[in-house]
Structure formats: structure tokens, C-alpha cells
Amino acid sequence: MLLISPHVNAGDGAHHDKRSFTLAGPGAVVSYPLMVMAQKKMLSQQHIALEFVQWKNPQQLRAMVLGGQVDFTAMPSNLAATFYNRGHKLSLVNISIWDIMSIVSQQGERLADLHALIGQEIAVPFKNDMPSIVFKELLNANLANKASQVKIRNSHNLADTAQLLLASKVKHALLIEPLSSVVLYQANKNITQKQGVSLVTSFNISQLWQRSFPNSPKLPQAGLVANIPVNQDRNVVKSVNQAYKAASTWCQENIAECVKIVRVYLPKMPREALMSAIEKTAITTVDAKLAKSDLESFYRLLAKSDAKRIGNKLPAEGFYF
């Protein structure tokens, strides 16, 4: 939240009052740059203090955004559009996550294709939100009227989905980095200790999406939004966007150091798994206006099945910072 916002010229002998903003995101790779920005005090020279808070599920995120508890937050791209179209005029600043989801399966149950899931159960996080929406689109595109024969077990958060797979409650799960790296690491550790079952990656979701939807091959899954009213301060939003890009690059070039910072916020996550997640996930930050074409293609595709997924229409030009 913006605590103090006066701007005083240093030239008249006064000082700049420090402003403070709250950054938020899930315990996923999209948030790593935000964690770095807060810990490294990346905007301190502009007299801006940053803190990072984690949201656990989309319901909590909605409450935080509408309640003005966060100034900038990572969020799924369709949810950003929904906020805007329903009258909460936040701004989409960038899209940074295009490839973060995969299906992880038990070793002996590796899937050759989605048809192999017919008659089986798969754990998927967040009913009616991004992972579930993308997965249902893929099922419909690949299995047509047999899509309903795949049993989806929805969980309320990412950790529950991972735990269902590790506990052998399900044989397959759709996971987001770093959780996919965490379950693979944990499963290998358990096997070494002669416990549990071995796990493998069956599919990369973005690659499957590209094959399934050649006319809309990009999967602009998540990015950074500026909440109201801070999105009216263009200089601050530009500074935060630039810092996010710099922090993303720093993370990819300094993986071990980045993981040290991430573990401040995710202390239970194994170091090796967090490093693997950064190596597997290219954070490619594209300014919202430059990503507009890919986003609108994605939004149109989602709206064909259910227009409520994007708030019933394409967002207006003002949505894109």
C-alpha cells in the first residue's frame, strides 16, 4: 500500500519522504523476481521501500486486490482481465510466464498422450482458475466428447496437489514450478530411502498447447499487474516493471543466490528443487502492450468455452499499461 506519496524537490533543502509498496504473488517462479526486489531493496535509490507477501490461492488474491492490500501482484492473465472487465480498473504491466506447467506421473504410469488419461484421475489445482481452465481446454481439443471420461480431482492450493501425488492418492497431477521440481526431488529422495514411488514428467503443458492450438500457440499464463490507485503513477509503475525485468535476469544468471532469497519466503522448499525450477522456467518478461496480440488470441480461445473466464469480453486498451 502507498503509505506516503508527497514528492518534494531535494533542491529546496527538503528531503524525499519514503514511499512503501506491497508486492504479492504465489509461491511460484513468477514471484521470484518480486522476492528479489523486496530483499535487495531494488528501488531504495528512488526512496521506495518494497515488501513481498505470498497469496495461497486465487480466492485470497481476489480479496487482497479488492481490499487494496497489495499494490503490485503477480496473477493469472485471465484473472487480470476479469478484474478489469468487472469494473476494478487495474493495469496489466507485463506477461512473464509462458511455460510453467507440466503433468507429473508415477513412473509406471507415464502418459503417451492425453488419450491415456481416459478413465483415470488427475489432480489439478484451483478449480475454475488458470491451471484447470488450460487443462480443460486441452482435454476438449484432444479428446472431444471423451474429455468427460477424465476424472479431475481439484485441490484448493498448489501444495495439496503435490501432496496427493506424493502420497499416491492419485497417479497424475498437473503442477506448476517449483512444485513439479519439488515432487520429483522428494520422490527421488523417498526412493533412495526405499519409500514411496518414483515420479516422471509426462507432458510439458505449453508444448502440448502449441500442438493443440496451432492458431493460438502462445500460452501467456501470468504476469504482473498494478492495482488501483498506484497504476495512475506511471513513473512508479515503469520503475517497478524495470526492476522486475532486472531481477528476472539476475535470478537466471545467479541461480544459487536467487534461491537463497526465495527460501526466505519459502523456507520448506528444498534448495535443489528451487534451483531446478529456475533452470526449467524461462522468465520472459514482455510488456503488456507488446503481448496484447498473444493475450487477445488466448482470451478469445478461452471465451469460446466460457466468456466468464475473462469477464465476458476482451479488455479495452486501457487495461494494457
Side-chain angles (χ1 to χ4, degrees), residues 55 58 61-62 65-66 73-95 129-130 220-227 288 295 298-299 302 308-311 313-316 318-320:
W55 51 262
L61 167 61
R62 289 180 179 95
V65 169
L66 294 173
T73 182
M75 76 166 63
S77 58
N78 71 299
L79 184 54
T82 301
F83 271 121
Y84 187 87
N85 283 334
R86 289 181 178 170
H88 189 81
K89 300 299 186 183
L90 47 65
S91 300
L92 182 66
V93 180
N94 66 46
I95 291 292
D129 279 291
M130 183 64 79
Q221 294 163 58
L224 185 66
V225 303
N227 200 8
L295 281 162
F298 181 56
Y299 290 156
L302 297 186
K308 290 196 295 292
R309 290 170 169 178
I310 62 167
K313 59 185 177 182
L314 291 177
F319 170 66
Y320 302 92

Side-chain angles (χ1 to χ4, degrees), residues 196-273:
V197 295
S198 183
L199 299 174
V200 294
T201 301
S202 281
F203 296 132
N204 173 291
I205 291 295
S206 290
Q207 292 173 5
L208 185 59
W209 183 274
Q210 191 172 0
R211 294 196 297 271
S212 303
F213 301 106
N215 294 325
S216 184
K218 296 283 185 71
L219 193 48
Q221 294 163 58
L224 185 66
V225 303
N227 200 8
I228 56 174
V230 71
N231 62 340
Q232 299 304 307
D233 191 331
R234 294 192 66 83
N235 288 333
V236 167
V237 177
K238 285 178 182 176
S239 294
V240 169
N241 191 27
Q242 288 165 0
Y244 185 92
K245 292 176 184 178
S248 302
T249 300
W250 182 84
C251 265
Q252 288 165 320
E253 293 176 352
N254 302 275
I255 293 177
E257 291 299 308
C258 182
V259 165
K260 282 183 185 177
I261 288 175
V262 172
R263 292 195 77 207
V264 172
Y265 300 98
L266 304 175
K268 295 180 180 178
M269 294 283 193
R271 178 175 172 276
E272 296 87 343

